[in-house]
Amino acid sequence: MVLVLTWQIELAKMLVDMAQSRLFLHWPKPGVEMRRRNKDVGFRWVLLFQDTNGLLFKAIPASLGVSGTKQYHVNSLAVPRKAKEEIGGITRLTHADGRLMVINVEYNQLDPLLKASGYPDGDVNCETGYSPFLSTVKQLILELGPYIEELKKTGGAIMESVNPKYKDVRKTSFKSSTQLECMMQDYPKTLPPSARAGFTVMDTWLAYAPVKNNPSCLIKVPKGNPYHSATSGEMAVYPANSLILRKINLLLSAGVQVDGPVHQVFNGQEVEVWSRTTWNPKWGLKFSDVKNKVSGSCSISQRSTMAIKGLNVFVEDLSLDGGLLIESVDESEVKVGGTLQNKGWILQNVYRKDTSVPEEIRIRGFKINKIEQPEKHNSEPGKFDLKANLYRHSIISFQE
């Protein structure tokens, strides 16, 4: 079982450093009670995660499996990173006395550390097109028992550091106030040499798409590096789901043919736009969940939108070119198939400075124009077989 904590807390409209979660777990009243209760009910792991990364939970189930198999006290989720990308890198540090430590080194320290350690070029891409140093994506899985014992020793404290943001390369003035911070990624520094610390590597498309950059700040992003914006964060969810469906097609004799993406520009960012296929976690938390609920010969066009909300929805021999929304209660079993074509939903550009549009839409750079889609809402238990029938590009019936 897993105890899940977000490790960023809003306090006085400011994001407090991730280490606050450690202090919370150690505070006398809430901390002791939480530790006791969670250990008593059988929790074994604590997950600390960055709450702007929408892809996180696609990668966590497999990472938990690695923690259990390797018996890691600390397991960091990692993805390939571009050189100079503003995110820390996984390193193995060797002390002069021979001690080893697998730990994150923050991006503002990694390049200088490499140059001071015999690598004159610092952090540069290798032949793979990525930095040799994988990115820690601020998702940690801790074994609860050893973590509780460590909290008793340290009181939840982590060594402090600063990450100054300078106005230019001269480093004579600050871009903004420099905060004193302590990072959860530094937790392994408090552990004894016998502790088992490791990392799990995932493809970026499956595990990492944070939303942390304002559209007006994207000019500083090096060409070829990810935007890490609201636009790119949402556009990362759709290829992740599409590629999961494609991989079913590779594993089984039948599966899903998903069209490739087109390129569009929103808020000055060129992104790949895949079919907008989404599902809620209860439908497909793990790859095996999705694989067991898709069968036959299915296809989804690039312009399509499909949303599945329900536990027992099964997609079989579905050909989709347009929009489709299926919602069902957990007590029912719904089978969806047939040929469906309609006008669907389209993405319409929005100018980021257009104040007539809500801010949450402006930062995306687009809004969704819902032109046409069939919707099936099932609120009764039982078994239902929904067949979509095509007639002159519109749905004429659902057969139950």
Side-chain angles (χ1 to χ4, degrees):
M1 298 178 69
V2 183
L3 166 64
V4 179
L5 297 175
T6 58
W7 68 357
Q8 289 182 325
I9 304 170
E10 186 172 349
L11 180 61
K13 297 184 179 180
M14 296 179 63
L15 287 177
V16 179
D17 183 79
M18 293 71 136
Q20 294 296 332
S21 60
R22 283 174 55 83
L23 295 177
F24 176 76
L25 280 174
H26 187 263
W27 284 340
K29 289 185 178 180
V32 171
E33 175 61 22
M34 178 177 286
R35 298 198 305 268
R36 181 195 63 77
R37 184 174 69 248
N38 291 321
K39 195 170 184 179
D40 288 348
V41 299
F43 284 111
R44 185 181 175 188
W45 311 100
V46 179
L47 167 62
L48 305 173
F49 65 94
Q50 182 187 32
D51 53 8
T52 69
N53 179 15
L55 294 181
L56 162 71
F57 290 102
K58 294 186 182 299
I60 287 302
S63 301
L64 279 169
V66 173
S67 288
T69 301
K70 299 292 185 180
Q71 297 185 325
Y72 282 151
H73 294 147
V74 183
N75 183 7
S76 299
L77 182 60
V79 299
R81 64 181 283 276
K82 292 286 188 178
K84 308 296 192 298
E85 190 175 344
E86 292 189 355
I87 185 168
I90 284 279
T91 63
R92 186 177 71 170
L93 303 181
T94 305
H95 194 275
D97 62 11
R99 286 177 294 155
L100 299 176
M101 181 182 298
V102 176
I103 197 167
N104 168 79
V105 174
E106 278 298 283
Y107 67 88
N108 64 313
Q109 301 171 5
L110 180 59
D111 196 60
L113 175 64
L114 291 171
K115 290 178 179 178
S117 304
Y119 300 87
D121 295 329
D123 183 24
V124 294
N125 292 329
C126 63
E127 65 276 3
T128 65
Y130 291 90
S131 168
F133 300 94
L134 296 165
S135 168
T136 57
V137 295
K138 301 179 182 177
Q139 332 291 336
L140 299 181
I141 299 173
L142 311 179
E143 188 172 2
L144 186 57
Y147 184 46
I148 290 174
E149 294 305 312
E150 192 62 27
L151 285 174
K152 292 178 181 177
K153 298 176 185 177
T154 64
I158 291 285
M159 291 174 54
E160 296 169 330
S161 62
V162 295
N163 183 6
K165 304 294 194 299
Y166 298 104
K167 284 186 176 180
D168 52 44
V169 294
R170 294 178 297 174
K171 298 184 178 181
T172 57
S173 59
F174 294 118
K175 179 181 178 181
S176 59
S177 299
T178 298
Q179 64 183 9
L180 185 66
E181 59 186 19
C182 45
M183 298 178 294
M184 197 64 193
Q185 304 96 299
D186 286 344
Y187 166 63
K189 292 181 180 179
T190 70
L191 299 177
S194 59
R196 294 179 294 276
F199 57 92
T200 302
V201 184
M202 296 281 183
D203 287 341
T204 305
W205 65 263
L206 182 66
Y208 189 57
V211 177
K212 61 180 183 178
N213 286 332
N214 188 298
S216 62
C217 299
L218 295 176
I219 190 172
K220 69 177 183 180
V221 177
K223 184 177 177 59
N225 279 20
Y227 296 115
H228 293 168
S229 67
T231 307
S232 63
E234 179 170 348
M235 286 301 166
V237 174
Y238 305 133
N241 291 341
S242 295
L243 291 172
I244 287 172
L245 292 173
R246 275 189 175 182
K247 288 186 179 296
I248 295 174
N249 198 36
L250 294 175
L251 293 175
L252 304 176
S253 57
V256 185
Q257 297 287 341
V258 182
D259 282 355
V262 299
H263 287 81
Q264 290 183 249
V265 177
F266 304 109
N267 273 343
Q269 306 159 63
E270 184 176 348
V271 293
E272 291 185 344
V273 181
W274 292 70
S275 59
R276 275 70 64 200
T277 301
T278 63
W279 53 76
N280 61 5
K282 69 173 65 175
W283 186 79
L285 181 62
K286 308 185 300 295
F287 177 76
S288 59
D289 294 336
V290 181
K291 181 168 67 71
N292 292 334
K293 293 176 180 177
V294 177
S295 62
S297 180
C298 301
S299 64
I300 302 175
S301 69
Q302 182 278 329
R303 72 180 191 89
S304 292
T305 300
M306 180 170 68
I308 299 175
K309 297 178 65 178
L311 176 63
N312 298 306
V313 177
F314 297 87
V315 180
E316 179 179 334
D317 295 319
L318 174 67
S319 177
L320 177 63
D321 182 32
L324 175 61
L325 281 70
I326 299 293
E327 184 172 3
S328 177
V329 295
D330 294 348
E331 295 76 19
S332 67
E333 182 178 304
V334 178
K335 186 180 296 184
V336 182
T339 300
L340 172 59
Q341 184 178 18
N342 56 57
K343 295 178 181 178
W345 297 3
I346 63 172
L347 304 182
Q348 183 177 335
N349 281 69
V350 171
Y351 182 47
R352 65 181 177 85
K353 293 185 178 181
D354 183 358
T355 56
S356 67
V357 178
E359 184 178 15
E360 65 270 20
I361 301 298
R362 282 186 278 133
I363 62 173
R364 297 161 85 195
F366 64 90
K367 63 181 180 180
I368 298 176
N369 190 356
K370 302 178 182 180
I371 299 176
E372 182 185 19
Q373 81 286 328
E375 298 185 42
K376 183 63 181 179
H377 302 274
N378 177 50
S379 59
E380 299 293 332
K383 293 187 177 182
F384 302 86
D385 192 358
L386 310 181
K387 293 296 183 181
N389 297 311
L390 175 66
Y391 181 71
R392 293 184 180 177
H393 308 294
S394 63
I395 289 297
I396 57 173
S397 68
F398 275 108
Q399 306 293 332
E400 296 191 15

